[in-house]
Amino acid sequence: MSSLIAEKFILLLCKSLAITGLLLYVLSTLLFNQPFDLFPPSTHKFSASNPLSNAPTNITHLVFGIAGSVNTWIHKKPYVETWWQPNITRGYLFLDRAPPEDFLPWPSSLPPFQVSQDTSKFEVYSKHVMPLVIRIARMVLETFREENEGVRWYVMGDDDTIFFVDNLVEVLARYDHTKYFYVGANSECVKSNFDHSFDMAFGGAGYALSYPLAAALATNLDGCINKYPYLYVSDQILQSCLADLGVSLTQEKGFHQIDLHNDISGLLSAHPESPLISLHHLDAVDPIFPSMNRHQSINHLMKATRADHSRVLQQTICYHKQSNWSFSISWGYSAHIYESIFPRSILRKPLETFTPWKKTRSPSYMFNTRFLSNDPCEAPHVFLFDSIENTTKDHIVMSYIRTWPRGLPVCELNGNHSADSISKIQVISSRKHGEGERRRECCDVVPVVTKNVTEVKFRTCMKIEE
Ligand SMILES: *[C@@H]1O[C@H](CO)[C@@H](O)[C@H](O)[C@H]1NC(C)=O
Ligand SMILES: *[C@@H]1O[C@H](CO)[C@@H](O)[C@H](O)[C@H]1NC(C)=O
Ligand SMILES: *[C@@H]1O[C@H](CO)[C@@H](O)[C@H](O)[C@H]1NC(C)=O
Ligand SMILES: *[C@@H]1O[C@H](CO)[C@@H](O)[C@H](O)[C@H]1NC(C)=O
Ligand SMILES: *[C@@H]1O[C@H](CO)[C@@H](O)[C@H](O)[C@H]1NC(C)=O
Ligand SMILES: *[C@@H]1O[C@H](CO)[C@@H](O)[C@H](O)[C@H]1NC(C)=O
């Protein structure tokens, strides 16, 4: 600004000040005292006097931002379709360019798309080590600008993130959305976390930012991107910005980045006692049901999820003492029979059926595992969720079918009781009535001798029970 223009400007400013001093005062208060109120000043004032702020969090309070690209959308679309509820879930798919004509008209069954703002003219673009990640890092900002009425949580994910939305809502409802919260999970692999940050939510697993945190971030984000031009992962740019705001990651064990390869059945059969929130990288692993393709597999798991979202993948363990067998059920996914009595402390460790994202020196994983074994006393008989049967108002009956013969002799040490003849396990669980009923469950085993079927009945645990 030349001094002449500056003088004129100040003169003008003084004049207007005289006339609209009050207005300017109000404006400056808004601008400088409450910078986070710039965006919709009327919608996010949560206070004790506002009864809506205390109403339980539901699906309408969440807004999703999904990172996608035109080139890969055809392959990722079926994943989004598994969880997106048209006209119910709120949010946008962010594409790198306008979709070609054959994608149009855009179906209302899919999340509406937005073309991400062009960042190639930004000064930082040319000096950034990985300029393409700027677009992804800014997604939270663009989602925030697009949608902010009645929002409590911004949930970011990839186009190959599968969300279990009802569980996500239940988990987020436990946090105070009027405070700063960054909720997600890091990678299964030590190396991935070491390379980026142990305190970083991996975006493929998805993560949630409370409204005020997203608002704060929105005002800071471009500055942050300028500050970290050497960070080549958008999640790490975001994590650095949040760390600079004094916010660290709140880990929730239900988010799954799946930085793994091959068979993840070991992990899915021993999920931590925490609601399943997301699965990612399903293209990088074997189909989770080997008799189906990847998309059929995830839709199959969704069948169980619709029957009871809070139980899906929750592990329940029980014993048949007369045979010295242990049963481990991962609800809606798998049932294992061991010809030995193994305590819960052992069975809760995932069988290492999978391999890490990248080969490294051990330890590879952020959790303990059990090695696969050919010892007939240690290797389980594996059954996978097949169908939901005879479901009534009070009960859900599910069948789990043996996937293949175990191919091992009987475990002689524990009384020579072979489970080879069992071809099906039927799991009977009572329907839960009322929200938020989340308790560890126990079960009883009832062999149906003549039919090669074993029934497992779920029940509430007694006070002291393994
Ligand atoms: C969600 O909560 C709001 C209150 O914040 C309420 O008005 C709305 O009806 C609820 N929606 C559903 C689907 O429960
Ligand atoms: C969503 O709502 C719009 C407007 O009410 C309606 O036209 C459309 O059919 C709905 N889409 C789906 C998939 O339900
Ligand atoms: C389910 O119902 C069918 C017929 O109604 C019956 O034959 C079958 O035994 C039932 N199964 C269970 C597990 O109750
Ligand atoms: C269970 O296994 C133990 C050895 O681990 C054995 O002593 C016991 O007799 C077995 N019980 C039955 C009912 O087979
Ligand atoms: C275990 O059972 C098999 C037949 O099922 C039998 O051949 C074997 O001798 C038995 N072993 C012991 C130690 O009883
Ligand atoms: C059922 O179990 C018996 C032994 O208990 C076995 O002889 C028979 O082959 C089994 N049938 C099937 C269909 O697996």
Side-chain angles (χ1 to χ4, degrees), residues 395-463:
H395 290 94
I396 303 169
V397 181
M398 290 177 137
S399 65
Y400 298 72
I401 301 285
R402 183 187 285 278
T403 45
W404 47 76
R406 190 172 69 143
L408 293 174
V410 60
C411 165
E412 291 188 353
L413 279 179
N414 296 333
N416 214 15
H417 307 286
S418 169
D420 280 348
S421 66
I422 309 291
S423 55
K424 175 168 157 178
I425 298 176
Q426 231 161 21
V427 173
I428 302 163
S429 35
S430 66
R431 265 189 197 286
K432 289 182 191 171
H433 299 288
E435 289 292 312
E437 194 183 334
R438 171 172 298 289
R439 245 181 305 182
R440 188 165 72 89
E441 290 186 296
C442 290
C443 52
D444 294 314
V445 179
V446 189
V448 184
V449 184
T450 54
K451 290 201 305 190
N452 303 46
V453 174
T454 292
E455 269 183 19
V456 172
K457 286 194 171 139
F458 277 34
R459 58 172 171 78
T460 51
C461 298
M462 289 174 286
K463 269 211 176 105

Side-chain angles (χ1 to χ4, degrees), residues 26 32 112 128 142 152-153 195 214 222 252 255 262 286 316 323 325 338 344 348 371 373 377 382-383 398 408 418 456:
V26 169
F32 301 115
H128 204 284
E142 294 190 22
R152 295 184 180 182
W153 297 95
D195 285 348
D222 282 328
E252 274 290 342
F255 289 96
N262 300 313
D286 300 343
T316 301
S323 317
W325 291 348
Y338 295 85
R344 159 174 292 276
R348 69 195 294 276
F371 293 119
S373 161
C377 299
V382 176
F383 304 73
M398 290 177 137
L408 293 174
S418 169
V456 172

Side-chain angles (χ1 to χ4, degrees), residues 257-271:
Q257 167 75 2
I258 311 289
D259 275 347
L260 304 171
H261 289 296
N262 300 313
D263 172 9
I264 58 167
S265 67
L267 189 70
L268 302 186
S269 298
H271 193 271

Side-chain angles (χ1 to χ4, degrees), residues 180-182 199 209 213 239 241-249:
Y180 282 5
F181 273 109
Y182 169 43
D199 199 33
L209 301 169
L213 183 55
Q239 183 267 331
C241 294
L242 291 166
D244 291 345
L245 287 172
V247 180
S248 58
L249 177 64

Side-chain angles (χ1 to χ4, degrees), residues 351-412:
L351 278 170
E352 201 175 313
T353 54
F354 40 80
T355 54
W357 193 244
K358 285 181 188 147
K359 270 247 167 308
T360 50
R361 277 183 308 160
S362 50
S364 296
Y365 307 110
M366 299 289 290
F367 46 85
N368 300 108
T369 61
R370 282 181 290 153
F371 293 119
L372 294 175
S373 161
N374 276 329
D375 181 332
C377 299
E378 287 179 6
H381 297 258
V382 176
F383 304 73
L384 290 177
F385 166 56
D386 180 65
S387 59
I388 301 178
E389 302 176 344
N390 296 25
T391 296
T392 68
K393 189 158 59 59
D394 298 321
H395 290 94
I396 303 169
V397 181
M398 290 177 137
S399 65
Y400 298 72
I401 301 285
R402 183 187 285 278
T403 45
W404 47 76
R406 190 172 69 143
L408 293 174
V410 60
C411 165
E412 291 188 353

